[in-house]
Amino acid sequence: MLVKRAIALCLGLLLAIGAIIPLATNDAEAGPRHKRHHRHYKKYSKKWWRQYHRRQARRRALAARKRVLRLRQIRLAKAADQAKAQGTEKPVAAAKVKKNDPVAAAVLPSGDPAPAGWSASKASPAELQFRVDNSSGSQVGSAAISVVGPANPNETGRNKVGGVATSAFRRDVIDRMIKENGWVVNDYQKEIGGQDVYVVVAQSQSRTGVQSRMFYFTEVDGKIYSVTTNSPVNESERLAEESEKVINSLKARVRPGLRAALKED
């Protein structure tokens, strides 16, 4: 009887020790791993400000990574939609423009002729569109002129065009580029024809490669005009020069009849 009790007691002790040892081991391993030291500095002291700026920098870096990831997801989704559409729809052959074919007269809102190679493409109450060809008659890009909205002469100061903050124009371009699988590269202000012009440089991805996108915003006769171009990167300098000529023409004189044709959105 005593032997049985001794054996039962030994077995009970062994089981208890076997249960205690893993718990102690887990606590010993988890302690240093999860223990964090928070340094508390006097508020608004130099060390507190350094700690605050580091924390803000980490938050900004995390937000930037989230934005990049979101933009990448949008581009991938749009690329997938385009690939799906191309797989289900029959490709349409681009019509070639012969030199002898009559081309619609390309006239700017000022009444001046459009730059060489620009031909009238489409027109709507809010926008005039042009096709841009090279010397052989092949299309290399497109351009558009539109009225963005009224100017605000009561507002003056830096970083404004026609009294409208340039940040508003940049935000509109960013939204458009996200929808068109593109991105903004740079923005700046320059003087063309004696007045400030705000320029946003962007790019977009197409089946033929990277496209150069230029957006010009300027005030003419109480309205904010936009001149936009789309072309391959190797044609961007040419279209930039021609866009500045268009802006000079707009600033020189906007013909009343064509001014009425471009209505605000």
Side-chain angles (χ1 to χ4, degrees), residues 30-31 36 45 52 99 108 124 137 156 162 191 219 222 234 238 250:
R36 297 183 64 182
S45 64
Y52 171 80
K99 292 184 177 180
L108 301 177
S124 69
T156 59
E191 188 174 294
E219 185 272 332
N234 60 347
R238 171 201 163 184
L250 291 175

Side-chain angles (χ1 to χ4, degrees), residues 172-237:
D172 291 342
V173 174
I174 290 175
D175 292 341
R176 178 171 175 177
M177 286 297 96
I178 290 176
K179 294 178 182 178
E180 299 181 12
N181 193 27
W183 55 94
V184 171
V185 177
N186 192 17
D187 68 309
Y188 54 88
Q189 284 184 265
K190 65 183 299 185
E191 188 174 294
I192 300 176
Q195 291 189 5
D196 288 336
V197 177
Y198 179 60
V199 185
V200 180
V201 183
Q203 292 181 343
S204 62
Q205 187 68 43
S206 69
R207 289 179 293 177
T208 58
V210 176
Q211 295 288 108
S212 173
R213 311 292 297 274
M214 300 291 292
F215 298 83
Y216 296 83
F217 300 92
T218 187
E219 185 272 332
V220 179
D221 196 23
K223 293 182 175 62
I224 304 296
Y225 279 76
S226 170
V227 179
T228 65
T229 61
N230 181 11
S231 68
V233 175
N234 60 347
E235 295 283 347
S236 60
E237 291 186 6

Side-chain angles (χ1 to χ4, degrees), residues 14-43:
L14 289 174
L15 291 173
I17 293 171
I20 292 172
I21 290 175
L23 292 174
T25 303
N26 290 338
D27 291 341
E29 292 177 353
R33 186 185 307 168
H34 298 287
K35 190 175 181 180
R36 297 183 64 182
H37 297 281
H38 297 278
R39 294 185 179 180
H40 298 282
Y41 300 111
K42 184 178 180 181
K43 197 170 184 180

Side-chain angles (χ1 to χ4, degrees), residues 131-193:
R131 166 186 169 132
V132 180
D133 298 337
N134 58 18
S135 57
S136 62
S138 300
Q139 183 174 3
V140 295
S142 61
I145 304 173
S146 62
V147 175
V148 178
N152 189 358
N154 296 325
E155 293 290 335
T156 59
R158 298 180 58 188
N159 300 325
K160 291 184 179 179
V161 172
V164 180
T166 56
S167 58
F169 302 134
R170 178 183 172 86
R171 185 167 56 250
D172 291 342
V173 174
I174 290 175
D175 292 341
R176 178 171 175 177
M177 286 297 96
I178 290 176
K179 294 178 182 178
E180 299 181 12
N181 193 27
W183 55 94
V184 171
V185 177
N186 192 17
D187 68 309
Y188 54 88
Q189 284 184 265
K190 65 183 299 185
E191 188 174 294
I192 300 176

Side-chain angles (χ1 to χ4, degrees), residues 39-60:
R39 294 185 179 180
H40 298 282
Y41 300 111
K42 184 178 180 181
K43 197 170 184 180
Y44 304 131
S45 64
K46 291 183 178 179
K47 292 183 178 179
W48 185 89
W49 278 114
R50 281 198 293 267
Q51 188 182 57
Y52 171 80
H53 289 309
R54 284 196 296 268
R55 188 165 60 250
Q56 293 299 317
R58 287 195 295 270
R59 289 178 180 176
R60 287 193 297 269

